[in-house]
């Protein structure tokens, strides 16, 4: 086979026979977030003895829903091409093929191809995978699923977090004067620092000055005990098939809690301040906020049927929704 005979593009297969792919009886690595060469080599060593491997390559540079966030970059073929070439030039009867596609096409790829097994690299999708339509496509076809860490070890996972830290967009500095719209944008910027692929939450705390706000602090829902923990060990929500909004299985300290802890550590005065947040606080956080001197909560998206609005208003807080 020539090298181009090991490559497929879904846009060319979508309206043609799927026999070339189905005949491979392959193990499919659904288009993943970036992996180290060492991790990809481990996966090939584990799964190639069981069958041909098809590596999905996303046509987008980031996982859908996380555009511009370096912690959610997709794997590029260049990063692993040398390993693929080495295997395919060897005497091994099993080979590595590639399938490029847009992430929105994932469901159809699961529906149309009878994969031997599908490998899902943690952090390669938005929201808990079992709540998405591609998951049900696999279940309906009774295709086995392996959820897998993108890292060789915890050491690599922690090192990756440190590497990405310097690549994240800097947040507005404290004492910056911002409009209320800019305050919500600052909260959204903070959210983008989270590694929680179920939902990224960010907050920005401000003190009103005339018609604007003086920024006091920002925070986000941080995965604990370190940011790449859920990617490496598996998200607890996915391990327990937890439904949306279930707080029993969660991997982060909520953004509101991180903000309160930060205020305590840095002696930030919360009296008569305004908390801007991209998601209305959950019931637990709303009850916590009732016991703070924060005067106002401005939010963008609803949560838990508006429980927080009732709770916070009963506690004398002003609550309003701002659509931007």
């Amino acid at each position: 086979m020539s090298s181009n005979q090991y490559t497929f593009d879904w846009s060319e297969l979508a309206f043609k026979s799927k026999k070339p792919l189905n005949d491979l009886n392959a193990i499919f690595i659904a288009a993943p977030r970036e992996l180290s060469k060492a991790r990809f080599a481990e996966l090939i060593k584990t799964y190639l003895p069981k069958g041909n491997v098809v590596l999905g390559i996303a046509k987008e540079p980031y996982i859908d829903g996380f555009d511009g966030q370096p912690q959610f970059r997709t794997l590029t073929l260049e990063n692993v091409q040398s390993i693929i070439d080495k295997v395919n030039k060897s005497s091994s009867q099993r080979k590595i093929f590639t399938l490029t596609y847009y992430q929105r096409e994932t469901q159809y790829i699961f529906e149309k191809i009878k994969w031997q097994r599908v490998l899902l690299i943690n952090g390669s999708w938005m929201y808990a995978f079992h709540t998405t339509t591609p998951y049900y496509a696999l279940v309906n076809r009774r295709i086995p699923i392996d959820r897998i860490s993108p890292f060789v070890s915890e050491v690599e996972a922690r090192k990756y977090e440190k590497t990405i830290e310097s690549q994240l967009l800097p947040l507005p500095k404290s004492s910056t004067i911002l409009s209320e719209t800019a305050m919500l944008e600052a909260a959204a910027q903070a959210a983008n620092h989270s590694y929680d692929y179920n939902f990224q939450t960010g907050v920005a705390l401000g003190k009103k000055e005339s018609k604007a706000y003086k920024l006091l602090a920002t925070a986000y829902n941080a995965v604990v005990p370190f940011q790449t923990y859920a990617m490496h060990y598996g998200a607890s929500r996915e391990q327990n098939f937890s439904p949306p909004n279930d707080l029993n299985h969660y991997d982060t300290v909520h953004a509101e809690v991180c903000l309160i802890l930060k205020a305590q550590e840095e002696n930030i005065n919360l009296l008569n301040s305004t908390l801007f947040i991209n998601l209305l606080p959950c019931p637990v956080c709303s009850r916590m906020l009732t016991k703070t001197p924060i005067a106002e909560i401005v939010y963008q998206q609803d949560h838990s049927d508006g429980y927080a609005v009732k709770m916070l208003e009963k506690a004398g807080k002003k609550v309003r929704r701002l659509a931007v």
Side-chain angles (χ1 to χ4, degrees):
M1 277 190 174
S2 61
S3 59
N4 62 359
Q5 288 178 289
Y6 295 114
T7 64
F8 296 95
D9 189 313
W10 189 254
S11 63
E12 298 173 0
L13 285 173
F15 301 102
K16 296 181 180 179
S17 170
K18 312 302 185 294
K19 191 173 185 299
L21 267 181
N22 276 314
D23 284 351
L24 294 176
N25 188 32
I27 295 163
F28 182 46
I29 304 175
R33 65 180 313 287
E34 62 184 353
L35 304 169
S36 66
K37 284 186 179 180
R39 182 55 174 148
F40 181 68
E42 278 189 346
L43 295 179
I44 295 304
K45 185 178 180 180
T46 300
Y47 288 96
L48 194 64
K50 302 173 184 179
N52 293 310
V53 172
V54 175
L55 171 65
I57 297 292
K59 292 183 177 180
E60 305 90 345
Y62 298 95
I63 298 301
D64 276 351
F66 299 107
D67 288 350
Q69 298 184 41
Q71 71 271 40
F72 292 104
R73 278 191 293 256
T74 54
L75 178 68
T76 62
L77 187 56
E78 291 77 12
N79 283 356
V80 294
Q81 188 68 66
S82 60
I83 297 173
I84 294 172
D85 290 342
K86 184 177 179 180
V87 169
N88 290 347
K89 290 176 182 177
S90 73
S91 59
S92 172
Q93 291 184 342
R94 297 189 173 103
K95 303 296 181 183
I96 305 173
F97 299 79
T98 59
L99 174 64
T100 56
Y101 60 95
Y102 292 105
Q103 292 169 72
R104 65 176 181 269
E105 297 169 323
T106 302
Q107 176 184 344
Y108 309 112
I109 292 170
F110 290 167
E111 289 175 343
K112 301 297 183 182
I113 307 300
K114 181 61 178 177
W115 303 106
Q116 179 188 145
R117 180 173 294 273
V118 168
L119 311 186
L120 300 170
I121 307 301
N122 297 332
S124 299
W125 53 85
M126 179 178 259
Y127 307 127
F129 186 73
H130 62 275
T131 65
T132 66
T133 51
Y135 168 76
Y136 290 98
L138 291 174
V139 170
N140 289 338
R141 299 207 68 184
R142 299 182 180 180
I143 297 174
I145 302 170
D146 289 348
R147 293 186 183 87
I148 293 173
S149 169
F151 306 109
V152 168
S153 64
E154 183 177 312
V155 171
E156 185 183 76
R158 287 178 178 269
K159 184 178 179 181
Y160 180 84
E161 179 186 345
K162 294 294 182 183
T163 300
I164 293 297
E165 192 173 331
S166 62
Q167 301 175 26
L168 294 167
L169 289 176
L171 298 171
K173 293 182 179 179
S174 297
S175 299
T176 304
I177 304 300
L178 301 172
S179 67
E180 61 178 20
T181 299
M183 287 293 291
L184 263 184
E185 289 172 351
Q189 281 181 264
N192 288 348
H193 285 236
S194 173
Y195 281 63
D196 182 10
Y197 53 90
N198 280 289
F199 197 90
Q200 296 173 300
T201 308
V203 295
L205 184 72
K207 186 70 69 76
K208 191 157 190 182
E209 292 193 359
S210 186
K211 294 182 179 180
Y213 293 83
K214 179 181 179 181
L215 180 65
L216 302 178
T218 57
Y220 55 87
N221 59 328
V223 178
V224 290
F226 54 92
Q227 283 270 61
T228 50
Y229 181 86
M231 286 184 183
H232 184 50
Y233 290 106
S236 59
R237 181 165 289 178
E238 292 177 333
Q239 291 172 334
N240 292 280
F241 289 87
S242 173
N245 298 332
D246 180 3
L247 300 179
N248 293 314
H249 302 292
Y250 209 65
D251 301 304
T252 78
V253 175
H254 286 199
E256 302 93 319
V257 177
C258 287
L259 188 283
I260 298 301
L261 292 173
K262 188 174 187 178
Q264 183 180 36
E265 292 169 0
E266 299 181 8
N267 295 316
I268 297 171
N269 186 0
L270 299 178
L271 184 63
N272 295 324
S273 60
T274 299
L275 184 71
F276 290 82
I277 183 167
N278 63 328
L279 182 69
L280 186 67
C282 73
V284 175
C285 286
S286 64
R287 292 192 289 270
M288 177 197 69
L289 289 169
T290 66
K291 305 301 289 182
T292 72
I294 293 172
E296 182 182 29
I297 290 84
V298 180
Y299 71 97
Q300 193 169 3
Q301 297 183 48
D302 286 312
H303 188 284
S304 300
D305 294 324
Y307 173 95
V309 176
K310 299 173 186 176
M311 175 61 64
L312 291 165
E313 287 182 341
K314 286 289 185 182
K317 313 292 184 185
K318 182 178 180 181
V319 184
R320 58 192 174 94
R321 183 180 184 184
L322 181 62
V324 295

